[in-house]
Amino acid sequence: MDLLSKQSLEVTTLALNGLAQRHKAIIANVANADTPGYQRTDVKFEDQLAQIVDKENKKQELKESYSAGLKYSPDLAPESPFNNLNKMIGMSLGAYNKLNAGNESYSTFKPEVMNTDDPPVKLDGNNVNIEHEMVELSKTATRYTAITMLQAKMFKGMNRVIKGNGA
Amino acid sequence: MSFDALDVSASALYAQRVKMDTVASNMANVNTTRNPDGTPGPYIRKEVIFSSLYSEALGDATGIESEMQNIDVNPYSKSENAPIATGVSVQEIVEDDTPLRKVYDPSHPDADQDGYVSMPNVNIVKEMTDMISASRAYEANVTAIDSTKNMLSAAMRI
């Protein structure tokens, strides 16, 4: 794993955002378990996140193949620093810039809040099944905690690299 | 992760406590046949009505609810990108209009000319089940608060 890689941090942060949003929806469902006619809400984000990861991975691959091409290109004179740039421009400057132009796909992430069409569990039309909500609550909290631990470990790893192994 | 989730659960704790108070009042007055001023008139059972709350003030930072105004969102719409409720409120406490219990007791000072006393329309069994339901709902929300706190402190440890 690349210790200072932006992707793992970005992706885990998005996952935390999505889970926090879902947690809020579940909390609202639990709070309204006795409200007549209340319809439960749920948050969907996993598919979206998977798409973003996929997109970023493809981008990364493309980027690596570009730089590999630049580095090992036999017709590049190593003594000229401008050759790299020239080569880059020659190949496709536009595409390369696009690859380097930030990770805009991360900012498109927006968890989707939706009403589920669960059947009503009470005569007043309320469809909050409290057992289901409590299970979802604990699932969400556990996943959230797991990801925060993952992030903590990433930072700990960086810290160790900075301080050296004796620390 | 924000602290809003705690406010949502807190509103539910308050609502369930009001329900508990109402149940307690109903049970305490199961045999009350007079008004506070001493005039004859049986106690009428009270019931708490909850309503879900959608407010901008408690909305999240991602802007999904930022355009939502207080309550004028239709919470029953099946649309995608529905707002997340930001709590529950006690909308009103209504009187139960089920008929009063008539008990034959001619010696009672509040008996009518036929010897019947109008007793409160409180069904003690129903109050007991309401009490358990409110108490369980309260516990569920306490658990939810606990889980929110765990998540927040996990985020603090990153």
Side-chain angles (χ1 to χ4, degrees):
Chain A
M1 186 191 81
D2 183 359
L3 219 48
L4 292 164
S5 127
K6 204 176 166 200
Q7 192 185 359
S8 27
L9 262 182
E10 288 278 357
V11 171
T12 46
T13 305
L14 292 187
L16 286 180
N17 281 343
L19 285 170
Q21 190 85 339
R22 174 175 298 157
H23 179 76
K24 239 174 108 181
I26 296 168
I27 291 277
N29 293 342
V30 173
N32 283 291
D34 275 344
T35 307
Y38 176 82
Q39 298 291 303
R40 71 181 294 270
T41 49
D42 205 349
V43 172
K44 264 170 64 177
F45 69 91
E46 277 93 347
D47 293 348
Q48 214 186 108
L49 191 59
Q51 270 174 18
I52 289 177
V53 171
D54 209 40
K55 219 164 155 185
E56 287 299 323
N57 279 342
K58 274 189 189 134
K59 231 168 162 181
Q60 194 62 33
E61 267 173 37
L62 216 56
K63 220 166 168 175
E64 272 162 17
S65 69
Y66 267 120
S67 18
L70 289 173
K71 222 175 265 173
Y72 302 114
S73 199
D75 57 343
L76 272 185
E79 64 270 17
S80 166
F82 296 109
N83 267 0
N84 251 349
L85 189 63
N86 287 339
K87 185 76 183 166
M88 209 191 290
I89 293 166
M91 281 170 85
S92 62
L93 183 60
Y96 194 84
N97 279 345
K98 213 170 157 192
L99 287 177
N100 277 324
N103 297 310
E104 71 283 338
S105 54
Y106 292 133
S107 57
T108 59
F109 180 70
K110 197 174 178 188
E112 204 180 334
V113 185
M114 56 202 305
N115 283 122
T116 56
D117 285 329
D118 291 12
V121 295
K122 283 187 188 168
L123 288 175
D124 60 30
N126 184 311
N127 65 353
V128 177
N129 177 345
I130 193 76
E131 288 81 11
H132 179 233
E133 300 300 334
M134 296 316 274
V135 169
E136 287 296 318
L137 184 76
S138 104
K139 259 201 251 176
T140 310
T142 309
R143 285 176 64 190
Y144 190 92
T145 312
I147 296 176
T148 56
M149 282 165 82
L150 198 66
Q151 279 200 341
K153 279 197 196 317
M154 286 180 201
F155 283 113
K156 213 181 249 173
M158 286 182 206
N159 216 10
R160 175 160 289 187
V161 169
I162 293 164
K163 281 186 183 163
N165 205 17
Chain B
M1 193 71 213
S2 68
F3 294 93
D4 295 354
L6 289 171
D7 298 335
V8 178
S9 295
S11 76
L13 289 185
Y14 170 74
Q16 295 300 340
R17 194 161 51 77
V18 170
K19 185 172 177 180
M20 205 64 156
D21 290 351
T22 313
V23 168
S25 161
N26 288 341
M27 283 167 79
N29 285 294
V30 68
N31 284 323
T32 303
T33 56
R34 291 200 181 174
N35 293 321
D37 56 4
T39 55
Y43 172 85
I44 309 290
R45 177 175 178 270
K46 307 289 188 296
E47 195 160 12
V48 180
I49 309 289
F50 295 146
S51 72
S52 49
L53 204 61
Y54 295 81
S55 85
E56 193 180 9
L58 291 171
D60 72 331
T62 60
I64 288 168
E65 293 147 303
S66 58
E67 288 114 68
M68 305 300 177
Q69 287 299 318
N70 212 358
I71 316 247
D72 61 37
V73 180
N74 177 12
Y76 310 131
S77 65
K78 290 272 193 291
S79 66
E80 306 233 325
N81 269 345
I84 295 178
T86 51
V88 58
S89 70
V90 176
Q91 196 177 42
E92 54 178 338
I93 296 175
V94 295
E95 293 193 333
D96 187 345
D97 58 2
T98 54
L100 297 167
R101 268 186 302 140
K102 297 279 188 189
V103 176
Y104 185 69
D105 186 2
S107 64
H108 197 287
D110 296 325
D112 59 15
Q113 58 266 45
D114 299 326
Y116 282 95
V117 186
S118 290
M119 293 298 239
N121 53 354
V122 175
N123 178 349
I124 204 85
V125 177
K126 170 135 181 53
E127 299 306 324
M128 291 300 281
T129 55
D130 278 1
M131 186 183 76
I132 293 167
S133 146
S135 155
R136 290 285 177 266
Y138 194 93
E139 281 172 30
N141 281 287
V142 171
T143 309
I145 287 183
D146 214 39
S147 145
T148 309
K149 276 167 58 191
N150 284 337
M151 281 167 74
L152 283 167
S153 57
M156 244 54 117
R157 282 193 298 268
I158 290 176

